[in-house]
């Protein structure tokens, strides 16, 4: 199999127009399946609060939870870049952000930490980057703010909100973010942001022109209860095994055939 994926490899992929495949995982068994299928990035998302722990939101997830699941995923992963979420209120100050990011890297095996938001986060991204902690900034729908925004909905539809998101993306890149993740962002805006920044952009519900795609593992395996998110796709349909479903996801992302217009927002 190929060499371990690094941030410089992801930057090279952006330049060469090669799509980045990313999926969430929360344990060693699924990490092994994703790694064997050629996943570029595995995200230990705080979505584990919903899909593993059964909470209604990601807010109850703690640093202990993130460290525990990162350790498990790191055991099963050999090649994919391991990205781990900073959970709700893990970055209330620069000092705590540094302590918590260090824990995710030293105890959890994270190679990139992901944090939601811009604004007050700019200083935190700057300080993490100054200390060589790789950062993915998460814009668009930020599930940790669900109680503030009042639901899970598309972000950046109005002209002023779209401009603010583009400005935030550029500011986060300037602050030293290595990756950008856009969640539930109209496809034209995500396309503009992807063209405007030099760092790789991974989208979820953000259209096909992002540099890569991420989905939640349970969604692509069709085991999430209730109505699946509009941007997700059940890859178990038509697959004979979990390995085949994950491999098809990677292949469709790489080919640019996922997502199609049915899985993004105008
Ligand atoms: O927590 C998570 O799984 C995420 C993805 C939805 C991008 O942040």
């Amino acid at each position: 199999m190929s060499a371990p994926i690094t941030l410089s490899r992801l930057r090279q992929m952006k330049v060469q127009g090669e799509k980045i495949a990313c999926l969430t995982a929360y344990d060693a068994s699924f990490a092994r399946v994703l790694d064997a299928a050629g996943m570029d990035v595995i995200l230990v998302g705080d979505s584990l609060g919903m899909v593993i722990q059964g909470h209604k939101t990601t807010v109850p997830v703690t640093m202990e939870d993130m460290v525990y699941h990162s350790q498990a995923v790191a055991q099963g992963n050999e090649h994919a870049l391991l990205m781990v979420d900073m959970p709700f209120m893990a970055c209330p100050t620069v000092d705590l952000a540094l302590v918590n990011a260090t824990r995710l890297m030293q105890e959890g095996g994270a190679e990139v930490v992901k944090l939601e938001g811009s604004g007050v986060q700019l200083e935190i991204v700057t300080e993490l980057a100054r200390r060589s902690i790789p950062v993915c900034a998460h814009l668009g729908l930020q599930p940790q703010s669900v109680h503030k925004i009042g639901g899970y909905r598309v972000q950046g539809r109005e002209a002023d909100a779209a401009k603010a998101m583009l400005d935030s993306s550029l500011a986060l890149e300037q602050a030293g973010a290595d990756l950008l993740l856009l969640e539930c962002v109209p496809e034209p805006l995500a396309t503009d942001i992807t063209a405007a920044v030099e760092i790789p952009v991974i989208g979820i519900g953000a259209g096909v022109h992002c540099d890569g795609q991420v989905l939640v593992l349970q969604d692509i395996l069709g085991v999430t209860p209730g109505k699946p998110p509009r941007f997700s796709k059940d890859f178990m349909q038509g697959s004979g095994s979990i390995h085949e479903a994950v491999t098809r996801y990677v292949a469709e992302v790489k080919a640019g055939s996922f997502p199609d217009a049915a899985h993004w927002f105008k």
Side-chain angles (χ1 to χ4, degrees), residues 116-118 138-146 149 152 155 183:
E116 295 182 8
S118 56
H138 180 150
L139 291 182
L141 175 62
Q142 294 157 38
Q144 290 170 13
S145 305
V146 63
I149 57 181
Y152 298 100
Q155 303 291 308
E183 178 165 356

Side-chain angles (χ1 to χ4, degrees), residues 5-21 40-41 166 169-170 173 177-182 189-203 208-213 253-254:
I5 303 290
T6 59
L7 280 174
S8 52
R9 173 71 188 122
L10 297 185
R11 279 192 294 270
Q12 184 187 47
M13 289 170 79
K14 175 170 179 126
V15 170
Q16 295 176 343
E18 199 182 321
K19 296 288 185 186
I20 299 164
D40 298 306
V41 181
L166 178 56
S169 303
L170 292 166
E173 175 175 47
D178 299 280
L179 300 172
L180 188 62
L181 187 143
L182 297 177
L189 175 58
T191 303
D192 287 351
I193 292 174
T194 304
V197 297
E198 285 180 14
I199 54 175
V201 177
I202 300 178
V208 73
H209 296 296
C210 295
D211 301 305
Q213 300 294 328
V253 168
K254 297 274 175 198

Side-chain angles (χ1 to χ4, degrees), residues 24 26 43 45-47 85 114 116 138 181 183 204 214 216:
T24 65
Y26 316 98
L43 169 65
D46 62 355
S47 50
D85 263 337
K114 175 163 84 61
E116 295 182 8
H138 180 150
L181 187 143
E183 178 165 356
I204 174 166
V214 58
V216 168

Side-chain angles (χ1 to χ4, degrees), residues 148-160:
K148 188 82 178 168
I149 57 181
Y152 298 100
R153 56 178 77 100
V154 181
Q155 303 291 308
R157 279 207 196 278
E158 304 76 21
D160 54 345

Side-chain angles (χ1 to χ4, degrees), residues 91-179:
C91 308
T93 62
V94 168
D95 286 351
L96 267 172
L98 290 169
V99 168
N100 287 328
T102 304
R103 284 198 67 194
L104 291 184
M105 294 184 79
Q106 289 191 325
E107 299 174 42
E111 294 164 305
V112 179
V113 299
K114 175 163 84 61
L115 48 112
E116 295 182 8
S118 56
V120 291
Q121 303 290 54
L122 278 177
E123 187 192 359
I124 286 165
V125 171
T126 304
E127 294 305 320
L128 293 172
R130 273 177 31 147
R131 289 160 175 89
S132 300
I133 296 176
V135 176
C136 175
H138 180 150
L139 291 182
L141 175 62
Q142 294 157 38
Q144 290 170 13
S145 305
V146 63
H147 297 308
K148 188 82 178 168
I149 57 181
Y152 298 100
R153 56 178 77 100
V154 181
Q155 303 291 308
R157 279 207 196 278
E158 304 76 21
D160 54 345
K163 177 165 182 339
M165 203 186 299
L166 178 56
D167 290 347
S168 294
S169 303
L170 292 166
L172 285 159
E173 175 175 47
Q174 186 68 32
D178 299 280
L179 300 172

